[in-house]
Amino acid sequence: MRIGEVAERAGVSTRALRYYEEQGLLASERTPSGQRTYPESAVEKVQLIQQLFAAGLSSRTIVQLMPCIEVGVGSSEAFELLAAERDRITAAMADLAAARDALDRVIDMAVHPTAEHCPALREPAWAPYDAAAAGADASDPRPALV
């Protein structure tokens, strides 16, 4: 089966299939004219690869799982790898939740500013101008930072 047919039946682009080949996830044979041909089983394999990508796995991790996928038997190493990937995703989710919570606090401060968080609301908002402390000429109209 040619690359376009595999792509159509699997619901991916031909570019994705070429990428899978580059990553070692999928293999094709070449016709004498150089066109890629795939076995019928390629459609199902590509759909499985898509599921693994959707599960958050990288192409490098999927390559590590390919021997088990090809023989249809999971090894203890494969299950450990999947568990480690799940732990990685869980940690990333916790980090994202913490970032979201911090952003919620920033949004709340922006919507409900207080003197504690917004210097412009403090009394006095600006320190009074003190030319002597600033060492500036009293006729200088620019405010001195005190």
Side-chain angles (χ1 to χ4, degrees):
M1 161 178 354
R2 292 200 175 165
I3 191 169
E5 186 178 353
V6 174
E8 184 178 327
R9 289 181 52 196
V12 298
S13 67
T14 57
R15 183 177 182 192
L17 296 177
R18 289 186 196 100
Y19 173 77
Y20 296 165
E21 281 193 53
E22 289 173 11
Q23 299 300 307
L25 300 172
L26 188 64
S28 68
E29 293 186 10
R30 300 290 183 134
T31 65
S33 63
Q35 294 181 334
R36 290 174 168 87
T37 61
Y38 298 88
E40 183 73 27
S41 61
V43 172
E44 194 172 305
K45 188 172 188 178
V46 168
Q47 290 170 335
L48 177 59
I49 291 168
Q50 287 287 296
Q51 289 176 337
L52 295 171
F53 276 129
L57 301 180
S58 67
S59 58
R60 184 178 55 180
T61 300
I62 297 170
V63 165
Q64 292 176 291
L65 296 171
M66 271 303 151
C68 293
I69 292 168
E70 289 171 357
V71 298
V73 177
S75 67
S76 60
E77 292 84 10
F79 288 111
E80 288 171 11
L81 179 61
L82 291 171
E85 286 297 311
R86 186 179 195 288
D87 291 345
R88 178 189 61 79
I89 290 169
T90 299
M93 290 170 61
D95 291 345
L96 285 171
R100 182 203 56 221
D101 294 346
L103 183 57
D104 283 345
R105 288 189 296 277
V106 169
I107 291 169
D108 185 58
M109 284 187 279
V111 172
H112 305 100
T114 66
E116 177 187 1
H117 299 110
C118 183
L121 296 177
R122 293 183 187 148
E123 288 294 328
W126 297 97
Y129 176 72
D130 183 353
D137 180 354
S139 64
D140 187 348
R142 295 175 294 170
L145 299 177
V146 184

